[in-house]
Amino acid sequence: MVRLADKRMVITGSSRGLGRGFAKACAAAGASVVVNGTNEAALNETAEAIRAAGGKVAAVQGSVAQPAVAQALVRTCIESFGGIDVMVNNAGIVRDRTLLKMAVEEWDAVIEVHLRGAFLCTRQAALAMREAGGGHIIQVISASALAGGFGQGNYAAAKEGMIGLMRTALLELNRFNIRNNALWPVGQTDMTEVVFERARAAAAQRGEPPPDPVALGFGTPEEVAAGLVWLASDGAAHFNGQIMTFNGRKTGLWTHPAERHAAFRDTPWTADDLDAYYTGVQPLPVNAPVRTPPAGK
């Protein structure tokens, strides 16, 4: 089954890591793909690998934080393949630092690529999709967006912002038959290497062998790419406004935030009233994403 036959896609940040795995898998599934990255050599290598495998590909070098690059990505897809069906906002960088030590430049750099880039590419794709009668925009997010990340205040804020962008696009673009979803992939990349370093260090302290990435809930880029292939396909045509997680072996959907312990009264609440009300209310749990598979699986 050629699952993505006739799909015309832009995948940002696809010169290496998960993005490269996404691009290669989508092309292998029949999609025509525009790849993107800032490193010319890595970008060309990715494009050549796709061509060598018989895939259809075009490349646009540059940072998605620049409006001209976002425009070039969509224009290239239309000129090369006749239109754009799917925009995947995957481009990203990390500048990890705890909040008290983070420089403004480190904050801005991450916000610009992830959030500004996602906005620019979402807007540009939506303009073209509106004229064409529809399309699909996918934001690639992270566990940090859903539960924060130690030393990743900039990254977590940017990824949470992409969720807000997705939900706003859902409200505004549904009338144009443009669907919006998000994918939280859990894969082994340069950006997640810090997780393995910490896990290896902790295991060494306990005198244990280093943990296997699969046991930590991580898949290879090739394994994780199957999730994007499915989400971009017509098999997920009933998905709109969804956050899907996938690591190659585990998948799930995250719920939209829901209000709890709501209470109403005819007169305004005072601080004393709130004292009385919340004394008997337990704070809601802070739910951290679970990467590891259930015991026995």
Side-chain angles (χ1 to χ4, degrees), residues 240-258:
N240 202 8
Q242 301 301 299
I243 299 175
M244 172 186 166
T245 182
F246 188 72
N247 70 2
R249 292 169 177 78
K250 171 192 171 184
T251 189
L253 298 179
W254 277 77
T255 62
H256 191 289

Side-chain angles (χ1 to χ4, degrees), residues 52-297:
K56 298 178 181 178
V57 64
V60 175
Q61 183 185 0
S63 171
V64 293
Q66 302 302 318
V69 173
Q71 293 167 5
L73 285 166
V74 174
R75 183 177 64 251
T76 298
C77 195
I78 294 172
E79 292 177 351
S80 299
F81 307 127
I84 178 171
D85 300 299
V86 184
M87 167 63 76
V88 181
N89 287 318
N90 172 73
I93 61 173
V94 289
R95 298 290 186 271
D96 289 0
R97 196 88 61 191
T98 57
L99 292 174
L100 300 185
K101 296 179 179 178
M102 185 175 293
V104 172
E105 293 78 11
E106 292 170 325
W107 175 272
D108 288 346
V110 172
I111 295 295
E112 282 184 2
V113 175
H114 289 274
L115 191 51
R116 174 183 164 99
F119 158 67
L120 291 172
C121 291
T122 293
R123 181 181 64 176
Q124 205 64 39
L127 288 169
M129 291 173 180
R130 179 182 65 180
E131 295 302 314
H136 189 187
I137 300 172
I138 299 172
Q139 311 292 348
V140 178
I141 62 159
S142 161
S144 294
L146 302 167
F150 191 94
Q152 291 193 320
N154 46 9
Y155 184 74
K159 289 300 192 182
E160 182 68 49
M162 290 173 70
I163 294 176
L165 175 64
M166 182 269 286
R167 288 178 173 146
T168 298
L170 174 69
L171 298 174
E172 295 182 359
L173 303 180
N174 198 50
R175 56 185 167 154
F176 304 124
N177 194 34
I178 300 173
R179 294 186 297 117
N180 291 269
N181 290 295
L183 175 68
W184 164 31
V186 190
Q188 304 169 41
T189 69
D190 291 345
M191 291 176 68
T192 58
E193 179 59 27
V194 64
V195 176
F196 305 123
E197 290 176 356
R198 291 171 180 167
R200 286 192 292 266
Q205 285 186 339
R206 297 191 298 267
E208 300 173 354
D212 179 69
V214 172
L216 293 175
F218 288 80
T220 66
E222 293 75 20
E223 292 168 344
V224 175
L228 180 68
V229 168
W230 181 81
L231 188 58
S233 75
D234 291 340
H238 59 301
F239 271 25
N240 202 8
Q242 301 301 299
I243 299 175
M244 172 186 166
T245 182
F246 188 72
N247 70 2
R249 292 169 177 78
K250 171 192 171 184
T251 189
L253 298 179
W254 277 77
T255 62
H256 191 289
E259 189 176 40
R260 296 289 185 268
H261 300 301
F264 300 86
R265 53 184 297 160
D266 293 332
T267 57
W269 293 74
T270 67
D272 290 339
D273 294 332
L274 293 171
D275 261 343
Y277 176 69
Y278 280 112
T279 294
V281 173
Q282 290 296 317
L284 297 176
V286 178
N287 293 310
V290 177
R291 292 192 178 98
T292 53
K297 297 293 185 181

